[in-house]
Amino acid sequence: MSFILNIETATKNCSVSVAKDGKTIACNELADEGYSHAEKLHVFIEEVIAKAEISVQDLVAIAVSQGPGSYTGLRIGVSAAKGLCYALNIPLIAVDTLQTLASQAEVTDGKIIPMLDARRMEVYSAIFNSDLTIDRGIKAEIIDENSFQEYNDKLYFVGDCADKCKAVLTKDNFVFLEDVKYPSAQAMSKISYDKYQKSDTVDVAYFEPYYLKDFMIAPPKKQ
């Protein structure tokens, strides 16, 4: 039996799960507008371990969302994951945030486009086939009425960008799955287990989240 703790903090959703051989057996998550990850994450970890009726010593690996996403959210999740890996002497698994989000779309045709808000009309996006193989890699892009026009397949959009993108992405083959808004640690379970079986892990000491864009510090407001 392989128990893996999955941590997803790349968006407003603070999400933690425990999976047994790739299947989620316990999960806690909260999508909070106030980004309460720092307060909630360690509590959620303790709670899912208790719900799964295991101890932390039973874990064989920790999986963490690697981004792209919120700078602060990613730092909090990765720091917690690294700390647990060091303490337990177990491997760290990095899971692509957009792959997790795409895997939550239950479709059998067309392509899946996970998009996460990067402010204004910019998004972090990728394109996956319905079997979750990659059609186009991750990039930050500005969405306008010309975006994705070259695709005639049905395109399923998931993520937290529906409100701002529906007005410009109006082609008949564009479908917004608005119930799939944030990546969840529940959806990380199969991905992280597959990586664990392949020994697809990262160096705990040197791993850094995939921010995609440089973190910009806003200038202080004039008094």
Side-chain angles (χ1 to χ4, degrees):
M1 286 183 291
S2 299
F3 293 102
I4 296 176
L5 181 74
N6 300 288
I7 297 173
E8 168 53 70
T9 57
T11 66
K12 293 176 182 177
N13 194 31
C14 181
S15 182
V16 182
S17 74
V18 171
K20 176 184 175 182
D21 297 335
K23 295 182 179 180
T24 301
I25 58 173
C27 181
N28 262 17
E29 57 188 354
L30 176 66
D32 187 349
E33 292 294 328
Y35 278 95
S36 59
H37 301 35
E39 295 79 23
K40 298 292 185 184
L41 180 57
H42 289 283
V43 175
F44 283 2
I45 291 171
E46 292 177 2
E47 289 178 350
V48 295
I49 293 293
K51 284 182 183 179
E53 299 182 339
I54 63 172
S55 72
V56 290
Q57 284 73 27
D58 293 317
L59 297 172
V60 298
I62 308 294
V64 68
S65 179
Q66 69 177 358
S70 158
Y71 179 90
T72 302
L74 289 169
R75 295 300 298 177
I76 291 169
V78 169
S79 295
K82 283 187 172 186
L84 286 166
C85 288
Y86 276 123
L88 299 170
N89 193 29
I90 56 178
L92 177 64
I93 298 168
V95 176
D96 174 67
T97 306
L98 293 177
Q99 182 185 6
T100 298
L101 184 57
S103 72
Q104 293 167 224
E106 297 180 359
V107 300
T108 57
D109 64 338
K111 298 184 186 298
I112 306 165
I113 303 183
M115 298 193 300
L116 293 177
D117 192 9
R119 299 186 180 180
R120 299 184 180 87
M121 288 305 291
E122 193 168 13
V123 303
Y124 302 125
S125 68
I127 303 176
F128 291 84
N129 298 307
S130 58
D131 62 359
L132 294 181
T133 56
I134 297 173
D135 180 88
R136 195 213 73 198
I138 301 167
K139 69 177 182 178
E141 61 183 321
I142 295 172
I143 299 299
D144 60 27
E145 63 274 9
N146 297 312
S147 299
F148 311 113
Q149 291 295 315
E150 68 273 24
Y151 287 93
N152 294 315
D153 310 72
K154 187 166 284 188
L155 300 186
Y156 297 95
F157 294 92
V158 294
D160 60 0
C161 300
D163 290 343
K164 74 179 186 180
C165 291
K166 280 194 300 184
V168 295
L169 297 178
T170 58
K171 200 175 173 186
D172 289 344
N173 59 314
F174 294 172
V175 179
F176 285 85
L177 303 180
E178 296 185 55
D179 57 329
V180 182
K181 193 170 185 179
Y182 301 117
S184 169
Q186 294 191 61
M188 292 175 67
S189 296
K190 182 180 184 304
I191 301 170
S192 62
Y193 183 61
D194 288 346
K195 283 176 169 279
Y196 175 73
Q197 289 186 302
K198 297 172 185 174
S199 297
D200 184 359
T201 61
V202 295
D203 190 303
V204 177
Y206 296 103
F207 173 72
E208 290 291 333
Y210 180 46
Y211 299 118
L212 195 58
K213 296 198 323 182
D214 290 336
F215 178 55
M216 303 296 290
I217 300 175
K221 295 181 179 179
K222 294 182 179 179
Q223 300 295 323

